[in-house]
Amino acid sequence: AQGRPTGSLGTVLERSRQLCGSLYARDVPAPAFPAIPPAAVETIKRAGVALSTVQSAVCCALYSWRDAVCREEDEGTGYVLPRAQLITLAQN
């Protein structure tokens, strides 16, 4: 082919072209239980409150929801649901 590198450089470029044209699909097994985001645990610790198991689960679910909304809307966590309100909702 005219204008294309040959030898080792041509081989590397061809392999790179093939790799970049392929779709990467990762096999992710579904967890038995939803993972608790470490930042959610940190939020509970910072609040300095004792939450029951159910309240902690609610807090983690709210935290995950808030994170998803913030990423989708490109907004800050304090705008979507401030930490104090998140903890208050989990407690009630």
Side-chain angles (χ1 to χ4, degrees), residues 4 8 12 15 19 28 31-32 36 55 59 61 67 69 72 75-76:
R4 288 192 177 175
S8 297
V12 168
R15 286 183 184 169
L19 179 64
V28 179
I36 298 173
Q55 290 172 330
C59 183
D67 185 58
V69 169
E72 184 178 319
E75 292 290 347

Side-chain angles (χ1 to χ4, degrees), residues 20 27 31 33-35 41 43-44 49 58-59 64-65 68 76 83 88 92:
C20 290
D27 293 331
F33 299 98
V41 175
T43 297
I44 295 169
V49 295
V58 169
C59 183
S64 296
W65 170 83
R83 183 183 318 133
T88 301
N92 297 321

Side-chain angles (χ1 to χ4, degrees), residues 27-89:
D27 293 331
V28 179
F33 299 98
I36 298 173
V41 175
E42 188 60 34
T43 297
I44 295 169
K45 286 181 183 178
R46 276 190 191 164
V49 295
L51 299 179
S52 70
T53 304
V54 172
Q55 290 172 330
S56 294
V58 169
C59 183
C60 290
L62 285 170
Y63 185 90
S64 296
W65 170 83
R66 180 182 74 170
D67 185 58
V69 169
C70 289
R71 291 175 190 276
E72 184 178 319
E73 300 294 327
D74 195 25
E75 292 290 347
T77 57
Y79 179 79
V80 174
L81 181 63
R83 183 183 318 133
Q85 290 178 343
L86 189 145
I87 295 296
T88 301
L89 287 170

